[in-house]
Amino acid sequence: MADQTNHNQAGEVAPSTVDKQAPNVEHAPSTDSPEATDLPTANAPDSNAAKPTATPPKREKPAAKAAVGEKPAVAATEEKPAAAKAAKKEKAPAVEDKPFVEFIEQDYLPALQKAIAQQGVQDLQVSFAKQKLPITGFESAEECWQIIGTWKETGARQFNLYFPEEDIQGKKGFSCNEGKKPSTLESFLIDERKITLDLLVFGLVQRLDGQKWLGIN
């Protein structure tokens, strides 16, 4: 009775043994809210994971292999220059590239006679010889190749075309006379850079026409 009287006087209730064992509910952590941890999750990237430092180099595609029986492209390009060279070799050389005497006899004289005949002259006789210049004052000069043209009916007319260098691209001279020895040696086609067969024919026909020896002259 005394103990009970003392307890009531203090105004306190002694806690039960159950209350001593159970934790305080108000301060206990809630089980509904997530708790932060150091473990990585599927939704959040790991901050300690290694990051790539550079973009990996791109791999080049291997060159396409040629089909069976097909020649590589390089081989095709190498064959083109060879074919072009073969075509050049097959091309016939120009008549002007022939040796001098061969060109005059085979090409120039026939072409010249044909061109003069078309101007109405049918009695022209043309020859080709290496001899002295028939010009007054050139008796001591060396012999040179000449084309000599004479008219049969009017034998007094004669022209000479000179090639002192034995080259159609070199120096050339011209003289003409009627019944007497010529005294003047003219330059012939000196302003042309390159002499061709047609130009050589045209130049002489034009010079003879200027002398009034062609057509009805």
Side-chain angles (χ1 to χ4, degrees):
M1 295 295 292
D3 295 335
Q4 185 176 3
T5 303
N6 294 334
H7 175 72
N8 294 332
Q9 293 177 353
E12 296 178 358
V13 180
S16 64
T17 58
V18 177
D19 295 335
K20 292 179 179 181
Q21 295 177 358
N24 189 356
V25 177
E26 294 178 358
H27 301 286
S30 173
T31 59
D32 295 334
S33 58
E35 183 178 357
T37 64
D38 294 335
L39 298 177
T41 64
N43 295 327
D46 186 2
S47 60
N48 295 328
K51 297 180 180 180
T53 57
T55 305
K58 297 181 180 180
R59 296 180 61 186
E60 296 182 358
K61 296 182 180 181
K65 296 182 179 180
V68 178
E70 182 180 353
K71 293 183 179 180
V74 176
T77 55
E78 291 178 353
E79 290 179 358
K80 289 183 179 179
K85 290 181 180 179
K88 289 183 179 179
K89 290 181 179 179
E90 294 176 359
K91 185 178 179 180
V95 294
E96 292 83 1
D97 296 332
K98 290 182 178 181
F100 172 72
V101 174
E102 183 178 334
F103 167 77
I104 295 296
E105 294 178 342
Q106 297 180 1
D107 300 285
Y108 184 57
L109 292 183
L112 178 62
Q113 287 180 312
K114 180 180 179 180
I116 293 178
Q118 291 175 348
Q119 297 295 323
V121 178
Q122 303 296 331
D123 62 337
L124 178 65
Q125 182 177 358
V126 180
S127 60
F128 179 55
K130 189 173 186 180
Q131 59 188 24
K132 290 280 188 176
L133 277 66
I135 302 175
T136 303
F138 288 86
E139 291 82 5
S140 61
E142 296 182 356
E143 294 183 349
C144 74
W145 286 103
Q146 308 172 33
I147 294 175
I148 305 103
T150 58
W151 275 252
K152 294 179 182 179
E153 295 181 1
T154 56
R157 290 181 178 179
Q158 177 178 322
F159 72 84
N160 293 64
L161 182 60
Y162 308 97
F163 297 90
E165 298 181 1
E166 300 185 13
D167 183 1
I168 63 172
Q169 306 298 337
K171 294 180 180 179
K172 294 170 287 295
F174 174 85
S175 68
C176 60
N177 65 289
E178 287 188 84
K180 60 182 180 179
K181 197 173 184 179
S183 59
T184 304
L185 177 63
E186 304 175 13
S187 296
F188 184 75
L189 294 179
I190 59 174
D191 296 329
E192 304 297 334
R193 292 184 178 181
K194 184 177 181 180
I195 299 299
T196 63
L197 173 61
D198 293 339
L199 182 59
L200 201 58
V201 171
F202 174 77
L204 186 52
V205 171
Q206 188 178 41
R207 179 64 184 85
L208 295 176
D209 186 57
Q211 196 69 25
K212 300 186 181 301
W213 284 5
L214 300 180
I216 59 175
N217 297 322

